[in-house]
Amino acid sequence: MSEFSTTEITAGDEDLHSTAVPGNSRKVFIKTYGCQMNVYDSERMEDALSGEGFVQTNSMEEADLVLLNTCHIREKAAEKVFSEIGRIRQLKERRAGTGKPLTLGVTGCVAQAEGEEIMRRAPAVDLVAGPQTYHRLNDMVSKAASGERVIATEFEIEQKFAQMPQIERRSAIARGVAAFLTVQEGCDKFCTFCVVPYTRGAEVSRSPAQIIEEAKRLRDAGVREITLLGQNVNAWAGTLEGRSLNLGELIFELAEIDGVERLRYTTSHPIDMHPELLTAHRDVKKLMPYLHLPVQAGSDRVLKAMNRHHTRAEYIDLIAAIREARPDMAISGDFIVGFPGETDADFEDTIQVIREVTYASAFSFKYSPRPGTPGAELDAQVPETVKSERLQVLQDLLKEQQIAFNKACVGKQMDILLEKRGRKDGQLIGRSPWLQSVVVDGEPEEIGHFIRVRVTHGGPASLLAERA
Ligand code: 5AD
Ligand code: SF4
């Protein structure tokens, strides 16, 4: 799937959810795992449920409805879901006799891939809904709340795009000044390690008119930075007023919207980096100089076995072309170590690619065989110990590069978008053009504004700055 960052994000994060909770409303708690697309989907589900009178809560204990919006990308991610269901089952049992029953739903990619299995193994689950069925969520939730066990795993992406309710202004405001906007879902690439083509289905693009309208709604709610999301975002294609557009051309259109000051997109596949995208990077000031462009591995043999459709040299040349279009471009990537058959020499090729490209940030994983994918069937699975050793070497190098990138910012001036309060009073956290968190002194009224700062310190995960 999407080659997204895979931090775990809980819907209880205070800066995501500050909605007041009226006393007698039904309450929903959504726990979100995995990629940004799940974060976006969780927000849309919250918006849909609020139309039915649900309000969000940060506490699972007080929720009437708990939804686990799950990730299936690696084994560990899927396992977490079953242990979470076990914990919630106990809460559900405690609540059963109290007149305030708890409804439990599993959504997302585990629901899609293992829906039947969840229903069989986990009687506490009332609802299983795959990612393409959320436009029917309210209906399914009311059935589940009245005691029916509901399972929905059909692929209905066109209906989902057409029928999901619009973003709610109130919740968009509460969510902050940087927002995600899904423009594309699904994947036709079939990398041999990846479950996404099976869980999210084929590539489908949202219409440009819908995307532009959503961007304007976000802008009206105070959003200044929009990240366009797709499992294969640069495969996006659409038609606007009779004109065919690709992602680069869509970015030109979106940049025309006053008030939307910054644009980003993720996640991209190297084979879909068409010329218009490079032109957009060269000419569209609002398009930020940061690109997540996963390569996964550096050896041509492994790239072929992964079905990535490009060689190492093609990737390196592409990075050079992108940097020619936008010299200050920061590159980020995803890497997998220990794909079946990967030798020490193959791994060394990955290390060489990292040295040549130099990454500003990256995500790296041990290969995890996923049932139903071709990679899982291959002989020559690499032993766990070897995977762990390789991951350590690779992560040490990537960390070194990330720190070097941040340190190289010291003394530079840059514009940051102030996004939220810092940990200490009188501090704010802003975001740099290169997606770094920047800590600076300031007052909450300034959130949503851009300021110019000079960087005074570069740490591993964030920068410190003063006003320039
Ligand atoms: N094992 C390990 N990592 C994987 N990814 C996807 N599938 C697997 C797998 N089976 C990684 C890829 C992808 C990111 C989102 O997750 O690097 O880009
Ligand atoms: Fe998965 Fe490959 Fe599609 Fe990305 S491009 S979602 S890694 S199959």
Side-chain angles (χ1 to χ4, degrees):
M1 124 125 182
S2 125
E3 321 190 36
F4 291 149
S5 69
T6 44
T7 44
E8 185 178 310
I9 299 150
T10 304
D13 283 357
E14 55 178 328
D15 48 294
L16 279 176
H17 302 276
S18 50
T19 326
V21 177
N24 55 359
S25 311
R26 285 182 300 166
K27 292 169 194 153
V28 56
F29 177 92
I30 305 185
K31 181 161 181 170
T32 307
Y33 302 82
C35 66
Q36 292 100 324
M37 177 111 24
N38 267 6
V39 175
Y40 178 87
D41 280 345
S42 290
E43 292 176 356
R44 294 286 72 67
M45 288 194 273
E46 285 165 4
D47 288 349
L49 289 162
S50 83
E52 292 291 299
F54 275 99
V55 292
Q56 297 152 45
T57 170
N58 295 339
S59 149
M60 194 184 287
E61 302 284 326
E62 63 173 34
D64 302 277
L65 171 65
V66 171
L67 295 178
L68 304 178
N69 194 13
T70 61
C71 172
H72 200 244
I73 197 91
R74 283 171 295 277
E75 193 180 358
K76 262 199 193 146
E79 271 169 12
K80 276 190 198 162
V81 177
F82 281 100
S83 51
E84 186 70 31
I85 290 173
R87 278 194 294 275
I88 299 171
R89 193 193 66 199
Q90 294 169 6
L91 175 63
K92 210 176 144 143
E93 282 165 2
R94 285 203 302 279
R95 291 268 295 274
T98 64
K100 189 175 158 42
L102 177 67
T103 303
L104 172 60
V106 179
T107 62
C109 293
V110 179
Q112 185 65 44
E114 299 187 23
E116 304 280 348
E117 167 98 358
I118 294 170
M119 280 305 200
R120 208 166 34 75
R121 257 176 70 180
V125 173
D126 305 294
L127 163 68
V128 162
Q132 319 296 5
T133 66
Y134 300 156
H135 54 289
R136 297 195 274 116
L137 185 67
N138 283 331
D139 188 36
M140 295 190 284
V141 164
S142 63
K143 281 189 182 137
S146 63
E148 192 179 322
R149 291 188 93 204
V150 181
I151 176 162
T153 52
E154 300 81 11
F155 286 102
E156 303 170 9
I157 182 70
E158 318 269 357
Q159 291 96 306
K160 177 183 171 189
F161 281 155
Q163 293 168 20
M164 278 306 274
Q166 291 279 16
I167 284 181
E168 273 213 9
R169 184 180 157 78
R170 204 167 43 99
S171 41
I173 291 170
R175 285 177 197 132
V177 296
F180 295 129
L181 195 172
T182 293
V183 301
Q184 180 278 341
E185 268 193 54
C187 182
D188 299 340
K189 302 291 185 290
F190 290 93
C191 298
T192 52
F193 52 82
C194 186
V195 288
V196 167
Y198 312 96
T199 57
R200 293 270 174 172
E203 285 170 6
V204 177
S205 297
R206 259 176 109 182
S207 81
Q210 232 183 54
I211 294 165
I212 291 167
E213 147 122 37
E214 189 163 316
K216 287 181 177 165
R217 285 178 82 95
L218 289 168
R219 183 268 321 267
D220 292 345
V223 168
R224 295 289 165 261
E225 173 172 319
I226 294 180
T227 301
L228 308 176
L229 292 183
Q231 263 96 30
N232 243 305
V233 71
N234 55 344
W236 181 89
T239 309
L240 185 66
E241 291 156 6
R243 214 161 38 98
S244 305
L245 300 184
N246 59 25
L247 188 72
E249 293 159 323
L250 176 69
I251 286 169
F252 275 93
E253 296 291 329
L254 291 169
E256 294 295 314
I257 302 176
D258 284 338
V260 173
E261 303 298 344
R262 283 181 168 182
L263 294 166
R264 305 177 187 275
Y265 59 94
T266 199
T267 276
S268 298
H269 192 294
I271 62 169
D272 289 321
M273 284 304 295
H274 42 263
E276 290 77 7
L277 257 178
L278 270 65
T279 312
H281 278 295
R282 192 190 64 200
D283 295 343
V284 178
K285 275 224 171 62
K286 291 181 178 180
L287 185 57
M288 291 294 101
Y290 177 96
L291 179 64
H292 186 64
L293 193 63
V295 66
Q296 311 295 356
S299 131
D300 284 341
R301 215 174 54 77
V302 174
L303 286 169
K304 195 163 192 314
M306 287 178 163
N307 195 31
R308 291 290 291 179
H309 298 288
H310 64 80
T311 62
R312 155 215 175 104
E314 283 162 348
Y315 179 79
I316 302 266
D317 288 351
L318 177 59
I319 298 286
I322 292 164
R323 284 191 163 137
E324 200 180 314
R326 180 83 204 226
D328 63 346
M329 183 72 89
I331 304 291
S332 141
D334 290 342
F335 299 90
I336 296 177
V337 298
F339 186 78
E342 184 188 71
T343 63
D344 284 343
D346 292 325
F347 174 64
E348 194 48 41
D349 284 343
T350 305
I351 294 291
Q352 284 312 322
V353 168
I354 296 173
R355 287 194 196 285
E356 255 179 83
V357 172
T358 60
Y359 289 85
S361 72
F363 301 92
S364 46
F365 315 97
K366 288 192 258 186
Y367 171 69
S368 164
R370 307 306 291 128
T373 61
E377 307 298 318
L378 294 173
D379 297 333
Q381 297 287 332
V382 174
E384 270 316 293
T385 48
V386 176
K387 286 187 206 171
S388 300
E389 282 165 21
R390 288 181 187 163
L391 188 66
Q392 188 66 47
V393 172
L394 183 127
Q395 288 187 337
D396 286 349
L397 177 58
L398 288 167
K399 195 163 162 204
E400 201 179 285
Q401 293 189 344
Q402 180 167 332
I403 292 172
F405 181 77
N406 287 348
K407 288 221 179 300
C409 293
V410 176
K412 279 192 191 153
Q413 290 196 14
M414 58 177 74
D415 293 323
I416 62 169
L417 171 59
L418 296 171
E419 280 193 357
K420 56 186 176 187
R421 292 165 192 257
R423 247 184 241 145
K424 295 188 197 140
D425 273 355
Q427 264 185 356
L428 296 177
I429 299 183
R431 200 178 315 205
S432 82
W434 301 279
L435 213 57
Q436 297 140 303
S437 288
V438 185
V439 182
V440 67
D441 287 345
E443 296 307 320
E445 306 78 70
E446 294 181 282
I447 290 171
H449 292 272
F450 288 89
I451 59 166
R452 190 141 187 94
V453 297
R454 182 183 305 105
V455 177
T456 55
H457 175 80
S462 61
L463 306 177
L464 299 182
E466 58 191 22
R467 282 162 205 258

